[in-house]
Amino acid sequence: MTEGLSQFANYELGEAFFEITNSMVIKDGIPFSRIGDFELVSPSWRKLADKPDKSPQDIQKIDEDYKTEIKDLADSCIIYMAAKINSKKYSFTFDEYKLFLQATNAGKNTIPVDKAELEVYNSEIKNLFKKLANHGEAAGDDLIDHKDMAAYIYALDLKAKHSENSEFQGFYLNGKITPLDYAVAYKHLREDGENMFTLKLRQAYKILFES
């Protein structure tokens, strides 16, 4: 596969990811709970992860296979995105990403005609792009590539763990995206500045590509 993408990446998997997650929210990012969860992992991964008394080798394989499957899915998404805007490259500028949103209605809202509403829309899409393109950092290359997409998918699966006193105790993964997971991310990505999802994006990128 060109540009370092996985040999297992394919258009159909990317299409399924965007179509299913896009259906998880209705207008304005409200979760649509009648849609089922999106399974990020294979049945074989799930079987090993659910195995009691896992060995150190099992735990290592679970971690490595999870990361591989996330990267395969991310590369598939990139292939799908490129195809939808007839691009021959696998990284996307802001203008190219806007074209993709318009081509797939992944933004979930039509482009407003009213000037004030259009300004809000453009601001939200810019926030979304910047957070994804720079994997939660304040600044970066301003290009969405396969690594940024992998961090995004990983971050969608990061669930916050809290104590009985509601104290934050870190994150955990369960290999699936729920409509509520996606709806929260949908809103956070469009907000100005830092929030929980930018933290998740940074954490995901470090785990996948810097650890």
Side-chain angles (χ1 to χ4, degrees):
M1 183 61 66
T2 59
E3 296 195 30
L5 300 186
S6 168
Q7 62 177 319
F8 300 108
N10 61 87
Y11 175 97
E12 289 77 12
L13 181 56
E15 180 181 38
F17 173 82
F18 281 110
E19 287 190 352
I20 293 172
T21 55
N22 192 36
S23 66
M24 287 181 172
V25 294
I26 55 179
K27 189 175 181 180
D28 298 325
I30 299 169
F32 185 44
S33 57
R34 290 169 60 185
I35 296 295
D37 300 339
F38 184 87
E39 289 281 345
L40 295 170
V41 293
S42 63
S44 60
W45 184 93
R46 180 76 61 196
K47 182 178 180 181
L48 183 58
D50 290 342
K51 175 185 172 183
D53 303 318
K54 289 182 279 292
S55 68
Q57 292 78 16
D58 289 334
I59 294 171
Q60 181 178 358
K61 181 171 175 56
I62 288 168
D63 180 61
E64 291 175 352
D65 288 357
Y66 179 90
K67 291 176 181 176
T68 296
E69 292 192 31
I70 291 296
K71 291 174 182 177
D72 288 347
L73 174 56
D75 290 359
S76 297
C77 290
I78 290 293
I79 290 172
Y80 173 73
M81 291 169 68
K84 293 303 288 186
I85 62 170
N86 298 314
S87 175
K88 298 188 185 315
K89 60 187 182 65
Y90 297 106
S91 61
F92 307 95
T93 64
F94 176 58
D95 288 338
E96 289 168 334
Y97 186 64
K98 282 180 69 177
L99 285 176
F100 170 72
L101 293 181
Q102 293 164 19
T104 60
N105 196 26
K108 214 61 184 175
N109 295 312
T110 57
I111 299 175
V113 176
D114 178 79
K115 184 178 179 180
E117 291 180 358
L118 181 60
E119 287 181 1
V120 172
Y121 171 86
N122 286 332
S123 176
E124 289 182 348
I125 296 304
K126 188 71 172 181
N127 289 338
L128 165 66
F129 174 81
K130 295 281 285 187
K131 285 180 170 67
L132 292 183
N134 302 323
H135 42 270
E137 299 288 356
D141 62 5
D142 288 335
L143 289 171
I144 293 178
D145 62 16
H146 64 118
K147 289 185 177 182
D148 299 315
M149 186 56 60
Y152 168 57
I153 295 168
Y154 193 105
L156 284 171
D157 189 24
L158 277 178
K159 278 80 169 171
K161 187 187 303 181
H162 296 88
S163 69
E164 293 180 357
N165 299 322
S166 299
E167 296 175 341
F168 177 66
Q169 294 184 317
F171 298 110
Y172 70 95
L173 300 162
N174 67 359
K176 62 180 66 175
I177 301 169
T178 70
L180 182 58
D181 294 334
Y182 187 75
V184 171
Y186 181 99
K187 292 183 178 180
H188 281 185
L189 285 167
R190 287 161 173 76
E191 293 175 353
D192 291 328
E194 287 276 314
N195 54 40
M196 179 60 76
F197 203 74
T198 54
L199 173 62
K200 288 183 179 182
L201 285 169
R202 292 196 297 271
Q203 181 77 1
Y205 194 89
K206 288 175 182 175
I207 291 170
L208 289 170
F209 301 109
E210 295 178 359
S211 60

